[in-house]
Amino acid sequence: MSFSPFGRGADSALPQEGTPAYWRLVTRAGAAFVDAARSGLVNRQAVGTVSALQARYPQGALDLAVTVLADVLVRCPAHQRTKEGLPDLDRLVPARPDALTVLEAASKSNAFFGRGIATAADITGIEEQVRAHDRTLDLVTAAWRVASSAPDLESIRSEIRSSLTPLAADALAVAAALTVATTAAVHLA
């Protein structure tokens, strides 16, 4: 008997990747994750949802980011858009963190996962995540640019997914895409 992150025997009832039922599942998970972030409660359950999606579906975490990015593109108000009409990441996502913020993030991450004080390796890991975040910002803007002319939500999601698929092999980049998406969604006015 294999273990399912969705509960005993749940894998057999889960939808096939790419189906409308799959996208509904991922969209619900994305909404729950953003709600948790908006409330300041990104907790083990929220992180567990992302981990469970990724454990069951090879691109689950990336698809979670895709659904949130599609929602941001559709719902972003005019005053938070660029002249080009895209969501303005400079307004929606905080600027690159400084060294103190990196140290604080490493400490909070370690506390969250019960690992004790932050080590040099932990700080290096956070710095690598910051670099992945910076690389991902341009890819998100490019994905929005391509998707902005799509006629419906399904097409928007498809265009964003196609644009971000190269990130799938890089766990830091996928995490950065999810962070950018969630942060942008939380900051929508």
Side-chain angles (χ1 to χ4, degrees):
M1 177 183 281
S2 65
F3 170 76
S4 169
F6 295 97
R8 180 172 286 189
D11 277 348
S12 63
L14 290 172
Q16 289 289 86
E17 186 172 8
T19 63
Y22 168 78
W23 285 109
R24 284 191 300 274
L25 172 72
V26 174
T27 299
R28 281 193 312 272
F33 193 78
V34 170
D35 286 345
R38 191 173 281 125
S39 301
L41 298 173
V42 173
N43 54 25
R44 291 183 200 279
Q45 183 178 357
V47 172
T49 299
V50 176
S51 297
L53 276 172
Q54 190 61 34
R56 174 58 172 88
Y57 300 106
Q59 292 194 15
L62 181 62
D63 286 343
L64 193 65
V66 165
T67 61
V68 176
L69 289 169
D71 184 62
V72 170
L73 179 60
V74 169
R75 292 187 324 105
C76 188
H79 72 277
Q80 289 181 308
R81 291 184 180 266
T82 64
K83 292 177 185 174
E84 194 179 351
L86 301 175
D88 188 345
L89 286 175
D90 289 336
R91 292 176 187 246
L92 297 172
V93 178
R96 190 173 203 276
D98 58 20
L100 183 59
T101 304
V102 169
L103 177 59
E104 183 180 343
S107 296
K108 285 182 178 181
S109 174
N110 278 12
F112 181 83
F113 291 107
R115 294 190 301 239
I117 64 169
T119 65
D122 296 325
I123 293 169
T124 299
I126 296 294
E127 289 171 335
E128 288 172 8
Q129 185 64 55
V130 169
R131 284 190 290 279
H133 174 87
D134 290 345
R135 290 189 311 269
T136 302
L137 290 172
D138 290 336
L139 290 173
V140 166
T141 299
W144 277 336
R145 189 171 291 115
V146 170
S148 65
S149 62
D152 55 46
L153 185 58
E154 184 178 334
S155 300
I156 289 169
R157 226 181 14 234
S158 177
E159 292 291 349
I160 293 173
R161 189 178 201 231
S162 292
S163 296
L164 297 184
T165 294
L167 300 179
D170 182 351
L172 290 178
V174 171
L178 183 56
T179 300
V180 169
T182 303
T183 303
V186 165
H187 287 96
L188 286 180

